[in-house]
């Protein structure tokens, strides 16, 4: 006998539902982006409005306008929506008690991420762009953040000081420029207007090699706002040879567990045709392979 | 009121799919077997009642085809409910109160494999406010499960433990198909289908058919040695809208259990129709079933769940333990609707 | 039976092709409220509810009793849903009466409804299922060949069907709740187009929205009203759709159903002991066919009773005084409308379509391929 016979069969129909005076009014007003509830005989308000309350008593037919927001009473995150669900990307079902009402409405919350969902959270209604006279004229609800966004935007035109300009112009040439205090002989990278110890103005610029000692460092593991790199990565203080202050940069080209204080490192530059007036011309510092600097030689920088 | 008892029970093993079997092919084996167990034929049966739903095969009047699985000649006294077979049992029980007939045949059948049961059950939702959203039965149950967690009545681990216990019980049940000693830890690693429900917290979708014979008074005593007497049976419903109920409790089950007299004696065995693990917790609390009760020795709906038949199977499983002497007093429960809206409870006793 | 059961409240909606003014809940509630008012009761007095409706696909709500529970004040009560195809309205009333007769409940509200305007009855009745040949187009297509058989077997006068249509529609004119109010002459009916030969358009029932409800109580509560209708007998019988030797024109299940209910009610001679009947006639020719099937006429003679005017409102054996299914057909409710209208007759509350002095009446419903039958006999005496 051959295999079982099988064929697909679709049961499909669009019903034309008569809604009656209570449900009809509610759905009609959704078209005008007006959310209403109905009063029960004992003074409660129901949204969505029902014709009869849970005791079987008819509701009064008296409507009250409602704010399109509410509180989530229960929810369920759907990572893989089914056909027929309100979204085809992950979303949450929820029972939402609209502000000022005594029951809850079943609907969807477009929360973006599961961890955004919490019983008791506040949500606001999002209207559908195109209305068709059904409960889907409410597209969904979305989370109301407890924080008010306070964007700030100010435009400036800045320019670095003379010494910092020299530093950047140096970098543009592939050079690291420091400033020397004539009296103490200390070299600051980048150059500063005055030696912080003596107060003397920097008198001359000196070029320092792009290699030096990694005095201290950290491995960054946590993500944070505005971060450009994906953790983990190493960030450290490098005292370039001939300089008396460290610059800070990334350390790479070496497994994190092999990075050591005192390690000799050298700059890895971007291709020359990409150089700009920026420290970012140096991609990172990497070990030279030389023996580590003795502790005493850099301990004052710690 | 007359004493009415369940005197026999037959079921097709619940499986994911019973291939190539139409309604008569499902119905004929179980009805003839249930009758044969007590030496009866259709001619001896006073009243026949069945439970099924058109929406499983997607065909209106689908129960009409089932009649072709019976010997309906000469024409039989017959009725049908668009509900689980356990409710057909209730109708048959009521019919036997009349006093003019002494036996009834009850059956149900359902092939969940033909369509998508969670989506079909969206049609039980409010047609104006919820159906257009496509709230399937798993998502609806998930809202109830989350409410339990929020109310600190249970945790996901509790759900997993219920699932593990039921499926371990099912190892001894040749008619269940999701059975084994499953790890709670592994269940808790499963991805969510609709949080907080993971696949293991939900019943399977099964195909099956089942039948039961009821008999009254002395006729029952003649047919079997130890009839499973229906000492009390009642059903109650609750408001429909999910947003108007406390989903963490089941007042209709509590009331039905009271009316059926559950609390009047010790319950040895309880077969509870809980298609989702968290619902078993709600039902136990509603009926006051403590630690001493053996719950779902068959594995319950978590081990096999043929829509429209699972409830009747709960009755059959409870009754067989009374019939065999394994239990003196058993409880059978069936639920109908979304998130336990409507519940039927019966108390069965041997003598 | 252990207990006596009485009908003390009856209510129905105004039936129409489309009740767009009401939701499904509203429709059901309308009928229920009328029945409660008729019984001088409130929702709180009801112990249990039994509801009947035909396939869920007509309204697209699975197990509508769950959703209608609020509209029916059912929270905390048992609610039960019967579905036996076209006979459902009748079998629902039978189940409700058993709850009372069996001593399970004392006051039962029973309802049946259909809101066919929400969908399309033709679609719901005949979806295209794979592997099943599409042989018929609607119910008319199924029954027309049977009617042809009857006409041949009985050598009936060809106008018989049209006479039924005229009579039922004239009766409908007297019934404010009926859907169709058509005053047609025999010539107009005969001239209407043939739909499924030999069934003409005017010999066919309409598609309606409607609901009907009754309050059934035990003897203890029957005294609430002065004129209860007592349930003297109920019966249901089923046979298979197809089997060798099946007589679909004069089905055995129908005959046996009638025999059962007459036996229970103590009726030995239907034509003498029954005053009137409300019988499920969706296509005109079913009147003569059922006259024979239910024992009101000998086999082959039913059409004579119709042609002689005996089934008219003022005739010897009035049938379908309300206008019947030919005037109003919300499929799930039609069976219960027959049972309810029979009860109205013996209560004396049928107003303009009342049969004077009616004391015993029959309600009848059938469904499927003439295979499900439900009947009851009601009387003004206990």
């Amino acid at each position: 006998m051959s295999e079982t016979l099988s064929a697909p069969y679709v049961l499909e129909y669009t019903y034309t539902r008569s809604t009656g005076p209570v449900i009809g009014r509610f759905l009609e007003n959704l078209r005008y982006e007006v959310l209403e509830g109905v009063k029960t005989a004992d003074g409660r308000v129901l949204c969505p409005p029902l014709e009869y309350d849970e005791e079987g008593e008819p509701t009064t037919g008296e409507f009250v306008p409602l704010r399109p927001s509410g509180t989530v009473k229960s929810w369920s995150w759907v990572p893989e929506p089914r056909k027929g669900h309100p979204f085809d990307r992950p979303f949450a079902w929820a029972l939402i008690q609209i502000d000022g009402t005594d029951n809850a409405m079943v609907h969807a919350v477009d929360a973006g991420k599961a961890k955004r969902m919490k019983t008791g959270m506040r949500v606001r209604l999002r209207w559908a762009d195109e209305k068709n006279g059904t409960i889907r004229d409410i597209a969904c609800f979305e989370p109301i953040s407890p924080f008010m966004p306070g964007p700030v935007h100010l435009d400036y035109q800045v320019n670095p000081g003379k010494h910092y300009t020299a530093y950047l112009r140096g970098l543009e040439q592939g050079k690291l420029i420091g400033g020397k205090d004539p009296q103490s002989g200390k070299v600051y990278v980048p150059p500063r207007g005055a030696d912080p110890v003596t107060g003397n103005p920097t008198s001359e610029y000196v070029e320092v090699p792009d290699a030096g000692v990694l005095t201290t460092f950290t491995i960054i593991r946590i993500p944070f706002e505005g971060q450009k790199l994906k953790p983990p990565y190493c960030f450290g203080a490098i005292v370039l040879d001939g300089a008396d202050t460290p610059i800070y940069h990334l350390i790479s080209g070496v497994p994190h567990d092999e990075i050591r204080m005192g390690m000799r490192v050298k700059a890895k530059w971007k291709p020359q045709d990409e150089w700009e007036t920026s420290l970012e011309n140096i991609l990172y510092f990497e070990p030279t392979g030389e023996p580590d600097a003795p502790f005493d030689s850099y301990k004052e920088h710690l | 009121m007359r004493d009415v008892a369940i005197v026999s029970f037959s079921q097709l093993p619940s499986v994911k799919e019973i291939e190539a079997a139409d309604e008569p092919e499902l119905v004929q084996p179980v009805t003839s077997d249930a009758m044969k167990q007590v030496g009866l034929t259709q001619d001896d049966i006073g009243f026949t009642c069945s439970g099924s739903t058109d929406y499983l095969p997607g065909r209106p009047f689908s129960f009409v085809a089932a009649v072709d699985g019976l010997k309906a000649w000469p024409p039989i006294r017959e009725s049908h409910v668009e509900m689980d077979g356990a409710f057909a049992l209730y109708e048959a029980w009521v019919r036997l109160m009349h006093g003019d007939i002494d036996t009834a045949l009850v059956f149900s059948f359902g092939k969940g494999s033909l369509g998508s049961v969670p989506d079909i059950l969206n049609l039980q939702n409010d047609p104006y406010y919820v159906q257009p959203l496509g709230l399937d039965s798993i998502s609806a149950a998930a809202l109830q499960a989350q409410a339990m967690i929020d109310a600190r009545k249970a945790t996901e681990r509790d759900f997993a433990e219920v699932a593990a216990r039921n499926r371990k019980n099912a190892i001894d049940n040749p008619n269940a198909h999701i059975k084994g000693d499953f790890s709670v830890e592994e269940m808790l690693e499963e991805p969510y289908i609709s949080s907080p429900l993971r696949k293991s917290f939900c019943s399977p979708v099964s195909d099956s058919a089942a039948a039961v014979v009821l008999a009254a008074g002395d006729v029952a005593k003649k047919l079997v040695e130890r009839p499973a007497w229906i000492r009390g049976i009642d059903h109650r419903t609750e408001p429909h809208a999910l947003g108007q109920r406390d989903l963490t409790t089941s007042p209709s089950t509590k009331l039905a259990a009271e009316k059926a007299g559950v609390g009047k004696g010790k319950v040895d065995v309880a077969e509870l129709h809980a298609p989702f693990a968290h619902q078993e917790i709600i039902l136990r609390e509603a009926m006051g079933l403590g630690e001493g009760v053996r719950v779902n020795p068959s594995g319950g709906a978590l081990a096999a769940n043929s829509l429209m038949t699972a409830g009747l199977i709960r009755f059959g499983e409870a009754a067989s333990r009374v019939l065999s002497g394994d239990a003196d007093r058993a409880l059978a429960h069936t639920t109908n609707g979304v998130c336990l809206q409507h519940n039927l409870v019966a108390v069965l006793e041997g003598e | 039976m252990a207990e006596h059961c009485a009908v003390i409240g009856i209510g129905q909606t105004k039936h129409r092709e489309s009740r767009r003014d009401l939701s499904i809940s509203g429709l059901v509630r309308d009928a229920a409220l009328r029945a409660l008012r008729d019984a001088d009761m409130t929702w709180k007095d009801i112990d249990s509810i039994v509801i009947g409706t035909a396939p869920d696909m007509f309204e697209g709500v699975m197990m509508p009793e769950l959703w209608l529970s609020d509209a029916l004040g059912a929270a905390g009560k048992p609610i039960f849903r019967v579905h036996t195809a076209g006979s459902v309205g009748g079998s629902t009333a039978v189940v409700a009466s058993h709850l009372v007769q069996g001593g399970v409940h004392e006051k039962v509200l029973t309802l049946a409804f259909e809101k066919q305007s929400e969908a399309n009855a033709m679609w719901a009745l005949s979806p295209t299922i794979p592997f099943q040949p599409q042989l018929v187009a609607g119910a008319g297509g199924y029954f027309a060949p049977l009617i042809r058989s009857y006409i041949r077997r009985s050598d009936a006068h060809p106008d018989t069907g049209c006479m039924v249509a005229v009579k039922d529609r004239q009766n409908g004119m007297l019934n404010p709740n009926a859907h169709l109010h058509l005053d047609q002459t025999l010539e107009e009916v005969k001239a209407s187009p043939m739909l499924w030969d030999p069934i003409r358009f005017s010999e066919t029932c309409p598609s309606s929205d409607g609901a009907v409800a009754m309050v059934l109580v035990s003897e203890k509560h029957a005294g609430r009203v002065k004129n209860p209708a007592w349930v003297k007998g109920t019966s249901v019988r089923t046979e298979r759709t197809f089997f060798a030797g099946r007589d679909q024109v004069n089905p055995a299940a129908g005959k046996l159903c009638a025999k059962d209910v007459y036996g229970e009610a103590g009726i030995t001679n239907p034509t003498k002991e029954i005053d009137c009947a409300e019988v499920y006639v969706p296509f005109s020719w079913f009147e003569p066919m059922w006259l024979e099937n239910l024992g009101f006429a000998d086999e082959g003679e039913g059409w004579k009773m119709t042609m002689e005017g005996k089934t008219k409102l003022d005739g010897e054996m009035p049938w379908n005084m309300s206008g019947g299914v030919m005037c109003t057909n919300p499929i799930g409710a039609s069976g219960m409308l027959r049972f309810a209208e029979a009860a109205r007759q013996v209560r004396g509350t049928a107003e303009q379509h009342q049969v004077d002095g009616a004391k015993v009446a029959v309600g009848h419903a059938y469904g499927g391929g003439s295979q499900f039958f439900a009947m009851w006999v009601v009387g003004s005496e206990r």
Side-chain angles (χ1 to χ4, degrees):
Chain A
M1 206 32 223
S2 59
E3 6 138 309
T4 326
L5 292 173
S6 165
Y9 161 54
V10 175
L11 185 73
E12 187 173 55
Y13 190 82
T14 301
Y15 291 82
T16 48
R17 302 199 173 287
S18 309
T19 50
V22 174
I23 298 166
R25 173 169 163 161
F26 173 73
L27 293 177
E28 178 63 13
N29 277 338
L30 293 183
R31 285 189 194 263
Y32 306 114
E33 298 188 1
V34 170
L35 186 71
E36 290 184 311
V38 78
K39 275 194 172 164
T40 64
D42 57 353
R44 291 171 295 138
V45 177
L46 303 178
C47 181
L50 302 172
E51 293 179 287
Y52 309 98
D53 66 20
E54 69 280 10
E55 303 284 319
E57 290 301 317
T59 50
T60 60
E62 205 189 308
F63 282 82
V64 294
L66 297 169
R67 245 177 52 144
S69 59
T71 309
V72 167
K73 308 302 283 178
S74 185
W75 57 278
S76 173
W77 184 254
V78 182
E80 282 181 33
R82 305 173 76 93
K83 186 170 158 201
H85 277 181
F87 289 99
D88 55 16
R89 60 173 189 282
F91 73 100
W93 290 108
L95 280 166
I96 299 154
Q97 181 170 9
I98 301 292
D99 296 330
T101 67
D102 297 281
N103 65 337
M105 174 191 294
V106 174
H107 220 289
V109 178
D110 187 15
K113 295 192 203 119
K115 61 185 178 182
R116 208 55 194 79
M117 293 302 300
K118 210 160 87 148
T119 295
M121 70 191 275
R122 304 268 312 135
V123 291
R124 80 164 72 82
L125 190 155
R126 184 196 299 163
W127 297 102
D129 288 331
E130 301 223 359
K131 314 282 196 291
N132 66 355
T134 70
I135 194 74
R136 303 289 303 263
D137 289 352
I138 297 173
C140 62
F141 286 75
E142 52 193 32
I144 296 175
S145 169
F147 300 109
M148 185 197 81
V152 174
H153 178 97
L154 297 165
D155 288 317
Y156 294 92
Q157 187 76 13
V158 293
N159 54 78
K162 188 170 97 175
H163 300 297
Y164 204 76
T165 301
Y167 176 65
L168 294 173
R169 291 265 183 244
L171 282 165
E172 198 181 20
Q173 306 292 311
K175 295 178 194 167
L176 283 154
I177 304 296
K180 192 169 180 175
D181 176 339
Q183 192 182 349
S184 65
K186 301 270 187 211
V187 174
Y188 296 95
V189 179
R192 286 175 183 64
D195 182 322
V197 175
T198 64
N200 294 331
T202 301
S203 61
E204 61 181 292
Y205 294 131
V206 297
E207 188 185 335
V208 295
D210 63 353
V213 177
L214 176 68
T215 55
T216 183
F217 62 92
T218 180
I219 315 279
I220 304 220
R221 298 190 189 279
I222 63 164
F224 54 82
E225 191 73 48
Q227 193 177 41
K228 287 197 189 125
L229 297 160
K230 191 163 175 293
Y233 52 88
C234 181
F235 176 77
I238 303 122
V239 176
L240 299 164
D241 295 335
D244 291 287
T245 55
I247 63 167
Y248 296 90
H249 214 301
L250 296 171
I251 311 300
S252 191
V254 56
H256 290 165
D257 55 1
E258 286 176 34
I259 300 177
R260 316 165 291 281
M261 290 160 72
M263 203 163 79
R264 296 255 341 136
V265 294
K266 184 170 154 65
K268 170 100 175 121
W269 293 84
K270 273 184 184 170
Q272 190 169 350
D273 54 4
E274 288 178 33
W275 289 354
E276 297 174 328
T277 48
S278 161
L279 185 57
E280 285 181 9
N281 292 349
I282 296 174
L283 289 167
Y284 52 79
F285 281 78
E286 60 187 355
T288 61
E290 295 160 304
D292 288 358
F295 181 69
D296 288 343
S297 69
Y298 64 85
K299 70 176 181 206
E300 60 172 346
H301 293 293
L302 296 176
Chain B
M1 284 218 198
R2 291 180 93 191
D3 279 333
V4 171
I6 295 176
V7 294
S8 72
F9 166 55
S10 178
Q11 60 179 312
L12 289 184
S14 291
V15 289
K16 183 161 177 212
E17 185 180 353
I18 299 178
E19 271 195 36
D22 59 17
E23 284 86 357
E25 287 164 7
L26 292 170
V27 164
Q28 198 281 335
V30 291
T31 50
S32 55
D33 183 50
M35 288 187 285
K36 196 151 140 230
Q37 281 176 35
V38 282
L40 297 178
T41 65
Q42 188 73 51
D43 293 335
D44 303 312
I45 297 290
F47 177 67
T48 304
C49 194
S50 63
S52 69
T53 171
D54 286 342
Y55 271 109
L56 272 185
R59 212 170 69 241
F61 306 112
S62 57
F63 66 93
V64 174
V67 173
D68 285 353
L70 306 171
K71 176 183 179 291
W73 186 263
I76 55 175
R77 286 188 206 87
E78 182 262 352
S79 185
H80 169 263
V81 295
E82 193 84 353
M83 303 169 92
D84 190 292
F87 288 93
L89 187 153
Y90 181 80
E91 183 178 333
W93 175 80
V94 173
R95 181 64 182 83
L96 288 174
M97 292 296 135
H98 218 54
D100 60 329
I101 51 167
D102 298 316
T103 57
L105 172 67
V106 176
F107 67 93
S108 65
F109 54 95
K111 283 186 66 169
S113 58
L114 297 172
S116 169
V117 169
D119 297 315
I120 287 169
L121 292 176
N122 175 39
L123 295 180
Q124 286 184 332
N125 287 320
D126 183 312
Y128 304 112
Y129 295 141
V130 185
Q131 273 190 34
L133 298 168
L135 183 74
D136 60 281
S137 55
I138 300 174
S139 296
L143 291 170
Q144 181 182 47
Q146 182 62 38
M148 286 188 75
I149 292 174
D150 291 336
R152 302 214 198 300
K153 286 192 170 176
T155 61
E156 283 189 44
R157 181 167 291 273
D158 293 325
F159 304 159
E161 282 170 8
V162 167
R165 223 180 303 126
N166 274 276
R167 287 168 184 148
K168 191 160 172 205
N169 288 349
I171 293 172
D172 294 328
N173 181 0
N175 294 301
H177 63 116
I178 306 298
K179 46 182 152 182
D181 205 344
F182 297 108
S183 146
V184 163
E185 301 308 327
E186 277 176 29
M187 282 188 226
L188 291 171
E189 298 280 303
E190 286 169 16
Y192 289 125
I193 297 182
S194 192
S195 74
L197 295 184
R198 302 176 197 267
K199 185 166 177 202
S200 292
F201 303 164
C202 308
S203 59
V205 172
S206 324
D207 288 358
S208 182
V212 148
V213 173
L214 299 181
D218 291 336
V219 174
K221 291 185 199 159
K222 274 196 217 113
L223 294 174
V224 288
E225 210 178 293
R226 209 179 119 91
W229 297 104
I230 300 173
R231 289 282 178 237
I233 184 168
D234 189 273
H235 64 103
R236 302 282 154 168
T237 194
E238 289 173 39
H240 180 78
L242 295 180
Q244 284 200 292
R245 293 162 53 198
D246 173 2
L247 297 175
T248 67
T249 63
S250 187
S252 56
T253 303
K254 183 161 187 268
L255 188 53
E258 262 169 46
K259 299 280 180 190
V262 168
K264 287 196 189 137
K266 177 179 177 300
V267 176
D268 299 325
V269 163
E271 283 280 334
L272 308 180
H273 180 200
F276 296 92
H278 65 278
Q279 293 175 340
E280 187 182 291
I281 301 172
I282 298 175
L283 293 169
R284 288 188 78 147
E285 193 209 21
M287 291 191 268
L289 300 176
E291 288 302 314
V293 181
R294 245 189 307 151
V295 172
N296 291 342
S298 69
L302 291 169
N305 190 20
S306 166
L307 199 67
M308 301 299 108
T309 303
L312 185 62
I313 289 178
R314 305 280 70 72
F315 274 73
E317 292 283 353
S320 25
R321 282 161 178 85
V322 173
L323 286 161
S324 68
D326 198 32
D328 289 319
R329 199 161 179 275
L331 187 160
H333 158 272
T334 301
T335 194
N336 184 31
V338 184
C339 293
L340 305 179
Q341 184 192 349
H342 182 195
N343 294 280
L344 170 70
V345 177
V347 171
L348 307 175
E349 284 178 6
E351 225 136 33
Chain C
M1 58 188 104
E3 283 274 350
H4 290 279
C5 175
V7 183
I8 63 166
I10 299 170
Q12 60 183 288
T13 56
K14 161 76 185 117
H15 313 291
R16 279 212 168 91
E17 186 195 346
S18 168
R19 283 300 304 258
R20 290 212 183 85
D21 56 316
L22 292 174
S23 59
I24 299 172
S25 311
L27 188 76
V28 159
R29 180 110 171 168
D30 182 288
L33 268 178
R34 288 176 200 276
L36 285 171
R37 243 180 260 137
D38 193 32
D40 194 23
M41 286 169 103
T42 69
W43 298 103
K44 309 236 179 298
D45 297 316
I46 296 297
D47 298 325
S48 159
I49 298 151
V50 183
I51 193 165
T53 185
D56 293 348
M57 273 155 210
F58 282 148
E59 286 85 20
V61 182
M62 188 175 169
M63 299 175 181
E65 76 282 2
L66 295 167
W67 169 57
L68 293 170
S69 64
D70 297 354
L72 298 172
K77 296 182 188 169
I79 186 163
F80 203 77
R81 177 335 186 29
V82 179
H83 174 24
T84 57
S87 66
V88 64
S91 41
T92 302
V94 170
V95 171
S97 66
H98 287 160
L99 284 169
V100 175
Q101 289 169 330
V104 180
H105 294 296
E106 291 182 1
K107 297 168 255 128
V108 178
L109 174 66
T110 185
L111 310 106
F113 75 95
E114 211 70 64
K115 202 155 193 293
Q116 287 175 210
S117 65
E118 306 254 316
N120 181 299
M122 280 280 283
W123 166 82
L125 287 172
S126 35
T128 324
I129 319 262
F131 306 127
Q132 294 190 24
Q134 285 292 98
L135 293 174
V136 296
Y142 182 88
F143 292 119
L146 304 179
I147 289 171
R148 185 179 291 285
S149 297
Y150 172 74
I151 297 171
R152 184 73 175 76
R153 272 158 61 159
S154 62
D155 216 7
H157 192 293
D159 285 354
T160 310
C162 299
M163 293 284 281
V164 173
V166 171
K167 167 185 75 84
D168 283 359
R169 270 58 187 283
Q170 268 173 1
N171 289 348
M173 295 284 288
L174 300 171
N175 178 1
N177 291 104
H179 166 188
L180 292 181
H181 286 146
L182 283 178
D183 194 5
Q184 285 178 316
T185 62
L186 183 62
E187 286 64 40
E188 282 167 341
V189 173
K190 284 169 79 164
S192 78
M194 256 322 162
L195 289 187
W196 310 278
D197 208 307
I199 306 176
R200 294 178 180 79
F201 173 71
S202 288
E203 297 177 86
T204 307
C205 56
S207 166
S208 322
D209 283 355
V212 58
M214 291 191 284
V215 177
L216 272 56
V217 299
S218 60
E219 190 167 2
K220 189 163 118 190
H221 304 284
R224 285 183 95 104
V225 300
K226 282 198 285 256
N227 54 348
W230 294 97
V231 178
K232 312 295 284 174
T234 61
S235 64
V236 294
R237 284 283 176 178
T238 297
E239 65 187 28
R240 282 206 201 177
T241 329
F242 297 111
F243 56 89
R246 185 179 182 217
D247 186 346
Q248 286 198 66
V249 173
N250 195 356
K255 284 199 273 197
L256 194 48
C257 189
K259 183 161 172 269
D260 283 347
V261 81
Y262 298 155
E264 199 173 310
I267 291 171
T268 45
N269 190 336
T271 27
K272 287 218 157 43
E273 296 167 64
I274 294 170
D275 296 318
C276 56
E278 284 275 340
V279 177
Y280 204 114
V281 172
F283 300 99
S284 58
W285 282 93
F286 275 93
E287 183 179 281
M289 287 158 71
W290 290 156
L291 281 165
E292 296 171 26
N293 191 248
L294 303 183
F296 287 82
D298 290 332
E299 194 153 4
E301 308 282 301
W303 61 273
K304 289 182 189 161
M305 276 182 79
T306 305
M307 288 302 292
E308 287 162 20
K310 290 193 173 144
T311 57
K312 289 168 81 165
L313 189 53
D314 55 4
E316 277 172 34
M317 179 52 69
W319 266 37
N320 293 330
M321 300 69 70
S322 65
V325 180
M326 290 286 288
C327 286
T328 302
N329 189 22
I331 294 181
S334 288
M336 192 177 284
L337 279 166
R338 307 284 68 72
F339 280 46
E341 287 288 345
R344 284 180 82 189
Q345 292 289 336
V346 306
R347 294 187 69 202
T349 60
E351 293 172 9
Q352 289 195 286
H353 59 274
Q354 176 74 50
V355 171
D356 286 331
K359 284 187 160 22
V360 178
V362 159
H364 160 281
Y366 90 98
S370 299
Q371 65 201 124
F372 301 108
F373 292 86
M375 292 178 72
W376 81 359
V377 173
V378 283
S380 52
E381 318 280 320
R382 179 162 92 53

